[in-house]
């Protein structure tokens, strides 16, 4: 059924404080809208159950990228264009800059925000594996104050998160300790642009003395939530990359993921591609010269 604009209320308070106060007055009644690229799709499809929308698009507190000595803090309402054009993001967090560059087309990158991608909580979201690889932390804010949460703990199940009804994601913090790591990321979809991933990977690694010193591997679209492959990382640590360890990595990765059949792909295809992506990462890492 078509949505009727008269059924909806949209407000745009001028400060973060005013927005969190509004959320606290009626927890769950107001739906934050940032770029609107997910919310407006639901609206156009007549599936937007929330009737009260509060815009957070223009809040200066959410639109800045702060570069501190030990981390960068990306305001939740920063867009993909903000990310892919930022010098420190490009240099130190290339997995995130790449994901920003293939999230929809240019129009979508000008409106879609990192916070929206996180809270929309799609297992296929393109920026989220990078956040896992970089061990991101989230700053959540409400009238009660701020709390910091590892991003790894934020998604608790399909489309489920730890965000309270009166909270916003304020910022995404990335530690500045991955410069020099080998980075590998790929999106596998029907096309390179304007396609939802069938599977995607963001991975970091370092070699030492011909063996894998550290591997940090995250996949999207292969489980109800974006997944860090902790067992696979452990299985390859301290090993040289040869056919036998590639076979172990494929097998361990297959055991960690929980793909589904859906309109975009199948369990069989996703499992096979996930194994290929992990193996390709390890092969490229081993010849990359990225040392500890
Ligand atoms: C044409 C098109 C192509 C797309 N392609 C891709 C793609 O390739 N890859 C991909 O991953 N996604 C894609 N998307 C999905 C979408 O663009 C992203 O998920 C985007 O990051 C959403 O951000 P937004 O600011 O537009 O979110 P909104 O639509 O404003 O909000 C989405 C959800 O997040 C909540 N929210 C937003 N910000 C906050 C916050 N700071 N705190 C609390 N809650 C918040 C909202 O309440 C809502 O529930 C595409 C969408 C379109 C329309």
């Amino acid at each position: 059924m078509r949505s009727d604009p008269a059924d909806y209320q949209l407000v745009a308070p001028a400060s973060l404080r005013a927005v969190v106060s509004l959320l606290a007055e009626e927890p769950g009644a107001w739906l934050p809208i940032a770029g609107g690229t997910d919310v407006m799709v639901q609206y156009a499809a007549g599936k937007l159950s929330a009737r009260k929308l509060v815009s957070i698009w223009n809040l200066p507190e959410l639109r800045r990228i702060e570069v501190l000595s030990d981390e960068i803090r990306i305001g939740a309402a920063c867009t993909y264009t903000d990310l892919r054009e930022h010098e420190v993001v490009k240099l130190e967090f290339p997995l995130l800059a790449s994901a920003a560059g293939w999230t929809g087309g240019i129009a979508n990158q000008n409106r879609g925000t990192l916070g929206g991608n996180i809270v929309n909580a799609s297992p296929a979201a393109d920026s989220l594996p990078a956040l896992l690889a970089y061990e991101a932390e989230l700053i959540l804010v409400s009238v009660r104050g701020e709390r910091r949460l590892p991003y790894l703990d934020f998604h608790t199940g399909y489309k489920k998160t730890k965000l309270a009804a009166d909270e916003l994601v304020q910022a995404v913090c990335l530690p500045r300790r991955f410069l020099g790591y080998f980075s590998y990321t790929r999106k596998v979809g029907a096309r390179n642009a304007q396609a939802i991933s069938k599977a995607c990977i963001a991975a970091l690694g370092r070699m030492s003395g011909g063996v894998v010193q550290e591997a940090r591997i995250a996949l999207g679209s292969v489980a109800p939530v974006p997944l860090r492959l902790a067992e696979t990382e452990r299985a390859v640590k301290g090993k040289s990359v040869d056919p036998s360890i590639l076979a172990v990595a494929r097998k361990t990765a297959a055991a960690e993921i929980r793909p589904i059949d859906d309109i975009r792909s199948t369990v069989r295809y996703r499992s096979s591609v996930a194994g290929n992506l992990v193996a390709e990462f390890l092969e490229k890492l081993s010849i990359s010269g990225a040392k500890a």
Side-chain angles (χ1 to χ4, degrees):
M1 210 201 323
R2 277 175 64 100
S3 304
D4 182 349
D7 293 339
Y8 294 86
Q9 187 183 350
L10 173 68
V11 298
S15 71
L16 180 59
R17 207 188 157 100
V19 172
V20 293
S21 299
L22 190 67
L23 296 181
E25 277 166 26
E26 295 173 87
W30 289 91
L31 182 75
I33 175 168
T37 60
D38 283 315
V39 169
M40 292 311 288
V41 170
Q42 290 172 34
Y43 170 81
K47 291 185 177 158
L48 186 61
S49 53
R51 290 291 186 261
K52 293 167 143 193
L53 304 177
V54 53
S55 173
I56 57 171
W57 172 250
N58 266 328
L59 296 181
E61 299 94 329
L62 304 190
R63 288 302 295 267
R64 56 182 174 230
I65 299 179
E66 285 177 275
V67 181
L68 307 177
S69 58
D70 57 342
E71 68 179 17
I72 64 164
R73 287 191 195 159
I74 302 170
C78 288
T79 65
Y80 296 110
T81 302
D82 295 334
L83 293 176
R84 63 178 171 72
E85 290 182 348
H86 193 274
E87 289 308 322
V88 175
V89 175
K90 281 194 287 186
L91 180 69
E92 297 185 29
F93 305 99
L95 299 176
L96 187 57
S98 297
W102 60 53
T103 298
I106 297 296
N108 198 67
Q109 291 167 19
N110 287 342
R111 283 298 295 196
T113 67
L114 186 57
N117 208 220
I118 293 169
V119 178
N120 188 53
S122 161
D126 280 309
S127 63
L128 305 185
L131 300 190
L132 287 175
Y134 289 128
E135 234 161 89
E137 293 196 342
L138 304 181
I139 297 178
L140 309 181
V141 65
S142 70
V143 285
R144 299 182 302 285
E146 292 177 6
R147 64 179 175 126
R148 222 169 140 123
L149 188 73
Y151 167 66
L152 180 65
D153 298 334
F154 184 72
H155 288 124
T156 54
Y158 178 72
K159 292 266 181 184
K160 293 204 179 105
T161 77
K162 285 209 171 140
L163 194 72
D166 64 347
E167 271 181 324
L168 286 178
V169 178
Q170 180 172 350
V172 180
C173 307
L174 304 178
R176 297 181 71 190
R177 58 185 174 83
F178 297 109
L179 196 62
Y181 276 62
F182 171 71
S183 309
Y184 171 80
T185 184
R186 267 190 81 175
K187 166 172 179 160
V188 178
R191 301 178 297 272
N192 274 342
Q194 299 281 27
I196 296 176
S197 297
K198 295 173 193 282
C200 60
I201 184 170
L204 295 169
R206 290 186 304 172
M207 298 292 289
S208 176
V211 302
V212 177
Q213 162 92 8
E214 188 183 358
R216 310 170 66 82
I217 307 170
L219 294 181
S221 284
V222 295
V225 296
L227 213 58
R228 177 110 183 250
L229 301 189
E231 292 300 324
T232 308
E233 292 173 7
R234 265 193 287 278
V236 300
K237 189 176 163 90
K239 305 283 175 14
S240 59
V241 178
D242 59 21
S244 70
I245 200 65
L246 291 178
V248 169
R250 282 177 187 277
K251 200 171 159 198
T252 315
E256 285 193 273
I257 64 177
R258 284 163 286 146
I260 56 164
D261 291 325
D262 64 13
I263 49 163
R264 279 184 293 280
S265 194
T266 62
V267 168
R268 200 163 152 222
Y269 180 81
R270 287 188 161 116
S271 302
S272 167
V273 167
N276 290 346
L277 291 172
V278 169
E280 188 173 74
F281 158 61
L282 291 169
E283 283 174 324
K284 288 185 185 287
L285 169 64
S286 74
I287 54 170
S288 70
K291 296 197 179 67

